[in-house]
Amino acid sequence: NAGVTQTPKFQVLKTGQSMTLQCAQDMNHEYMSWYRQDPGMGLRLIHYSVGAGITDQGEVPNGYNVSRSTTEDFPLRLLSAAPSQTSVYFCASSYSRAQPQHFGDGTRLSIL
Amino acid sequence: GQQVMQIPQYQHVQEGEDFTTYCNSSTTLSNIQWYKQRPGGHPVFLIQLVKSGEVKKQKRLTFQFGEAKKNSSLHITATQTTDVGTYFCAIAVQGAQKLVFGQGTRLTINP
């Protein structure tokens, strides 16, 4: 099992560009989520999904879109990148929010 | 929204000293999870506490859940350099399927 796979690992964007961060899991987990990590801010929840076809907003959803067309994949889209979105992004999955979360290795995103 | 406060934000100790991090909530929690993130790594699940007053141990790590289920602590006895990292607590937000994390406590150790 690969677990939770995030791509790319690193990305540099220019302000205004769009891109999609990929997240895939092979553990048949229903619950998936996206967090961003900034120094001194901990892990902040962007969006989450309790199953295919269902998504909801977390603490800091503005500027990000998600979709969940399959159980395995949960991509995060930046519509128009801004320097404030420079961060490390982690995807996580589990059977539910009450179960241990399995994290991917993260995507380090820089926006110039 | 429901939040959890984690203190301290940073802690530097000499190797062999003890370390404790605390998580506090204004509301009663159904459960609390603890994670460790090594420098440059991703968070890794350590343990989940569910019962009031629960105490669990993992080698030198002791986890406690308060009697009122509003606070929790992680205590490391006789720290080692392998304990370096950031420790997070995470709580389930009532009324939503969200799992939110505390700000984390970054532990550094002087060998």
Side-chain angles (χ1 to χ4, degrees):
Chain A
N1 285 351
V4 180
T5 303
Q6 289 186 240
T7 56
K9 294 190 184 303
F10 304 94
Q11 185 71 49
V12 178
L13 292 177
K14 294 181 179 179
T15 298
Q17 286 185 317
S18 62
M19 81 159 295
T20 300
L21 279 62
Q22 301 291 344
C23 176
Q25 53 90 9
D26 60 359
M27 296 173 281
N28 203 30
H29 285 164
E30 292 292 332
Y31 189 84
M32 297 186 74
S33 52
W34 277 101
Y35 293 87
R36 61 177 289 175
Q37 185 172 31
D38 305 291
M41 301 293 288
L43 293 159
R44 292 184 291 170
L45 180 64
I46 305 172
H47 285 286
Y48 64 99
S49 169
V50 299
I54 306 169
T55 63
D56 208 342
Q57 295 181 349
E59 304 167 282
V60 288
N62 292 342
Y64 307 95
N65 276 358
V66 292
S67 60
R68 186 90 181 272
S69 56
T70 66
T71 299
E72 295 77 19
D73 300 298
F74 191 43
L76 178 72
R77 297 183 185 86
L78 280 70
L79 305 175
S80 178
S84 61
Q85 294 178 305
T86 293
S87 188
V88 180
Y89 291 85
F90 286 102
C91 177
S93 77
S94 69
Y95 291 109
S96 75
R97 67 168 182 167
Q99 298 298 315
Q101 304 296 306
H102 299 261
F103 283 82
D105 289 337
T107 294
R108 189 174 297 274
L109 182 63
S110 294
I111 300 166
L112 307 176
Chain B
Q2 186 175 357
Q3 292 184 340
V4 57
M5 297 300 298
Q6 190 171 354
I7 56 172
Q9 189 173 359
Y10 302 98
Q11 185 78 56
H12 180 76
V13 301
Q14 291 289 125
E15 186 174 17
E17 291 183 337
D18 292 356
F19 160 78
T20 304
T21 175
Y22 302 88
C23 278
N24 299 298
S25 171
S26 58
T27 60
T28 302
L29 303 171
S30 56
N31 59 70
I32 191 163
Q33 299 176 4
W34 285 94
Y35 293 78
K36 175 184 178 182
Q37 182 180 25
R38 295 182 184 273
H42 59 268
V44 175
F45 175 81
L46 293 176
I47 209 161
Q48 177 167 266
L49 305 174
V50 179
K51 299 178 182 178
S52 169
E54 189 169 18
V55 178
K56 288 188 176 181
K57 293 189 176 183
Q58 291 179 351
K59 297 182 180 179
R60 295 177 294 103
L61 277 62
T62 301
F63 303 84
Q64 293 189 338
F65 203 8
E67 293 288 343
K69 298 183 71 174
K70 289 185 176 182
N71 54 72
S72 180
S73 65
L74 158 59
H75 180 82
I76 302 178
T77 303
T79 55
Q80 299 176 359
T81 55
T82 54
D83 297 324
V84 164
T86 301
Y87 294 84
F88 293 97
C89 61
I91 65 167
V93 174
Q94 294 179 2
Q97 291 295 321
K98 302 179 186 180
L99 184 72
V100 296
F101 282 72
Q103 297 91 334
T105 296
R106 182 182 174 191
L107 172 65
T108 55
I109 298 174
N110 200 24

